[in-house]
Amino acid sequence: MKLVKTVKNQEAQCKLSLTESERESATAFFMAREIEQKALDTVILTKTDGTASVPYAALREDIPAPKADRKAFLDISPDTDGAFVKVPRTL
Amino acid sequence: MNTKKIAVSSMILLQGAEGVADSRILGGFHSMIESEAVARARAAGYEVYDRYCHTGEFGLDVIGESGFAPALCNGSYLPDGTEKVLSGEIDALLSLDVNGSPRRGAATAGLVNMKPTYGTVSRYGVVPIASSADTVTVTAMTASKCSELLSVISGRDEKDPTTVEIAPCNAKNNGGNSRVLRIGICNDAVKTADSTVIERYNDTVSLLTAVGAEIIAQSLDIQNILTVAHAAWNTVLCAEARGNLSRYDGVRYGSRASRYEDLNEMYLRTRSEGFGALTKSVLLYGSYALSPDCKSGGFFKAAQAREWVKAQVKSLFENTDVILLPACSVANYTDDVIKKREITAFSENFYTALPSLCGLPTVTVNGVQLIGKPFSDNLLLSVANQITDGQASACRRIVLPSTRDIRLCRSPAELRSSSSSDGQTPTAT
């Protein structure tokens, strides 16, 4: 049911309208890809400074997830140096 | 002097030709430009077939089956254009490798396909799907014919900033490699394939041994690398396709829905009527993978897994020159696979995902893939040349299909009724 709801949500994002058989096919497609994604959990990822292996979700801890803390995300403003904007730190 | 002839798949633009990308959404679209690869081939004296060879909607299919009615030859459906190569009507076929279908097609037809290193051939004038991996490939009867065409179309192009300048492709030039060639194999990697594929794999190992290569059994877990690469590639492909296919909205070109009340409804109807079922599934999953709703990590996770796979492959190439893998999991594509393409298209790419994900050069010969380091295209062509020209008599060669056995998988009446209900491009009968 959750996958069916996800498929319907994404239909609006993609400007698509599916028939019932297409929606069933898309749900099966989603299911197959989600099962494959579990294989990616076996991949060990390290920080760029090589200090420790961390889950991928923690690698962007300096920027709050937009959905979780929208106000904090919007409050981030770039550092400026006179007329210039300092390039924010990225991975 | 015999003029050399080539045909071009529908993902590579020909000026004025109909049927771009085998999609209904581009119905009526005629390109005003010609792709750089075709332009270079014409300038070198090649005659280009004036109609597209079908590649399936946006090249996402198993062998392109959604764009035409594949012919059954010796128990397997073959991609469009391969019968022209087999009969000698054309010297080579130019295709865009999106999801591995040119390689699978060459493997089932017994032809040679060369997918060069990403960035070797200009992508100017191709229909973009996965821009970080789409590669123009050449299919021909022999490696020599592949290298002749590649030497003409490859090289730096100012109109495509992802291209690099390279030495001309030459199947006789093994890149200055004077020591014994090291071929990496892994029996674990072929466990999931059927018995005919395993037999072809073992035949190729015997052939390579006969021509003097050193066979090295890999100690790294290739099966795990392939599994991770497959999962990452499917997500990357869907996410990149989501971005590239968002341009088809019926506004400036292509087909447009005939009835709508406002702009939003025009977008909805045009895209819903224009895309096939598999393309819609790809778009939806790509959109999900790029959204913050994707709890499993989506595109971000797949992109990081891609870097992990590249590091593993780099380790593999420290003690080998070429890695040998099957091209397909089944030797023959029958109704079971073709008619369930919404599922099989993204499971049959298990072996072709790794070279696509990492942009590696790959030559498909004798039904198997030889994968090399980046820019080792000449080495691969040289190895393929030795396999096709100097094979030992004890090894079984793939039997070329006979034209007497050709049978269409669908009747013309079925084609007409399916094209009107599936939203796919009607095919000529």
Side-chain angles (χ1 to χ4, degrees):
Chain A
M1 275 302 289
K2 191 178 169 192
L3 270 180
V4 172
K5 194 176 166 191
T6 303
V7 168
K8 284 185 178 173
N9 287 343
Q10 296 307 323
E11 280 182 48
Q13 295 292 325
C14 297
K15 296 275 190 286
L16 287 173
S17 171
L18 271 60
T19 61
E20 275 310 309
S21 66
E22 285 173 343
R23 199 169 286 127
E24 276 178 27
S25 178
T27 307
F29 189 88
F30 268 60
M31 202 174 301
R33 303 288 83 76
E34 290 293 282
I35 291 170
E36 284 169 5
Q37 286 278 312
K38 292 189 192 313
L40 301 188
D41 290 331
T42 63
V43 171
I44 298 169
L45 299 161
T46 53
K47 281 186 173 176
T48 50
D49 61 4
T51 50
S53 59
V54 293
Y56 66 91
L59 289 173
R60 296 310 303 268
E61 60 207 7
D62 59 322
I63 296 177
K67 200 173 179 184
D69 192 350
R70 187 174 172 79
K71 188 175 182 315
F73 182 76
L74 292 173
D75 284 343
I76 293 173
S77 56
D79 292 338
T80 55
D81 179 11
F84 298 98
V85 173
K86 289 183 185 174
V87 176
R89 179 171 68 88
T90 56
L91 274 182
Chain B
M1 186 174 78
N2 288 333
T3 308
K4 290 183 182 162
K5 295 179 186 171
I6 61 171
V8 172
S9 82
S10 60
M11 293 293 286
I12 300 176
L13 295 178
L14 279 177
Q15 200 167 10
E18 273 190 9
V20 175
D22 277 329
S23 179
R24 200 177 173 117
I25 205 160
L26 283 168
F29 171 72
H30 297 88
S31 173
M32 290 190 292
I33 62 158
E34 192 148 84
S35 66
E36 180 67 16
V38 172
R40 288 186 183 189
R42 279 197 212 273
Y46 281 87
E47 194 177 307
V48 180
Y49 201 67
D50 61 355
R51 290 177 62 189
Y52 288 123
C53 287
H54 297 288
T55 190
E57 194 176 24
F58 294 112
L60 296 169
D61 291 353
V62 180
I63 54 163
E65 61 277 3
S66 68
F68 72 115
L72 190 70
C73 295
N74 282 2
S76 181
Y77 289 115
L78 297 184
D80 193 25
T82 49
E83 73 285 356
K84 292 189 179 62
V85 177
L86 288 165
S87 65
E89 188 183 338
I90 58 173
D91 290 279
L93 176 64
L94 270 182
S95 322
L96 188 71
D97 193 306
V98 175
N99 198 19
S101 54
R103 284 175 273 163
R104 289 191 288 274
T108 49
L111 295 170
V112 178
N113 171 272
M114 178 65 196
K115 172 188 161 317
T117 308
Y118 177 81
T120 308
V121 180
S122 174
R123 286 179 302 113
Y124 176 79
V126 307
V127 178
I129 303 296
S131 301
S132 67
D134 291 343
T135 313
V136 175
T137 71
V138 178
T139 304
M141 286 288 284
T142 63
S144 305
K145 290 195 174 179
C146 285
S147 76
E148 276 173 35
L149 182 54
L150 269 173
S151 63
V152 164
I153 64 174
S154 57
R156 176 91 181 121
D157 177 22
E158 294 303 320
K159 296 184 289 294
D160 178 1
T162 63
T163 51
V164 294
E165 195 59 62
I166 54 158
C169 283
N170 185 350
K172 302 275 191 300
N173 172 15
N174 66 355
N177 206 353
S178 57
R179 57 171 170 73
V180 171
L181 190 69
R182 300 166 301 175
I183 308 283
I185 63 164
C186 181
N187 290 328
D188 286 344
V190 295
K191 273 184 193 170
T192 52
D194 74 9
S195 56
T196 312
V197 171
I198 294 173
E199 196 183 337
R200 285 179 189 168
Y201 186 81
N202 292 332
D203 282 352
T204 308
V205 172
S206 305
L207 275 170
L208 289 165
T209 309
V211 297
E214 180 188 348
I215 306 296
I216 299 174
Q218 292 294 337
S219 59
L220 277 179
D221 188 358
I222 288 195
Q223 186 66 13
N224 189 36
I225 295 172
L226 288 177
T227 306
V228 173
H230 180 230
W233 168 244
N234 283 345
T235 304
V236 165
L237 172 58
C238 291
E240 294 200 19
R242 159 72 172 108
N244 276 315
L245 297 186
S246 60
R247 70 190 72 198
Y248 303 119
D249 55 10
V251 174
R252 285 190 295 171
Y253 52 85
S255 70
R256 183 189 290 178
S258 53
R259 290 178 299 167
Y260 51 89
E261 297 289 326
D262 56 25
L263 184 63
N264 213 39
E265 194 180 344
M266 190 270 285
Y267 289 149
L268 193 73
R269 284 186 179 270
T270 300
R271 288 168 67 82
S272 302
E273 291 166 14
F275 290 133
L278 176 59
T279 306
K280 286 178 184 171
S281 298
V282 168
L283 289 174
L284 292 172
Y285 189 74
S287 176
Y288 175 63
L290 289 165
S291 70
D293 295 333
C294 187
K295 299 289 184 281
S296 56
F299 180 74
F300 184 64
K301 190 170 168 186
Q304 291 185 311
R306 189 179 204 170
E307 293 307 308
W308 179 85
V309 169
K310 282 183 180 174
Q312 299 302 305
V313 167
K314 197 175 171 185
S315 303
L316 276 176
F317 279 125
E318 278 168 5
N319 61 352
T320 52
D321 298 309
V322 172
I323 296 170
L324 190 65
L325 279 181
C328 324
S329 63
V330 292
N332 297 318
Y333 286 121
T334 57
D335 285 332
D336 288 341
V337 175
I338 298 300
K339 290 186 177 173
K340 294 177 188 170
R341 66 173 176 277
E342 285 82 12
I343 299 168
T344 54
F346 278 66
S347 60
E348 261 307 295
N349 64 357
F350 182 77
Y351 293 112
T352 54
L354 175 65
S356 296
L357 189 69
C358 302
L360 300 173
T362 308
V363 67
T364 304
V365 60
N366 237 27
V368 298
Q369 294 182 100
L370 297 166
I371 304 169
K373 299 177 201 180
F375 304 107
S376 64
D377 306 44
N378 280 338
L379 178 66
L380 291 176
L381 285 167
S382 147
V383 173
N385 203 31
Q386 290 179 69
I387 290 175
T388 52
D389 290 348
Q391 54 175 319
S393 59
C395 295
R396 185 183 65 82
R397 185 180 172 87
I398 292 172
V399 175
L400 296 178
S402 160
T403 52
R404 290 172 301 178
D405 299 329
I406 291 176
R407 171 178 75 79
L408 294 180
C409 73
R410 288 183 285 177
S411 68
E414 284 174 341
L415 279 171
R416 281 192 288 271
S417 62
S418 68
S419 66
S420 59
S421 61
D422 292 352
Q424 294 168 358
T425 305
T427 52
T429 55

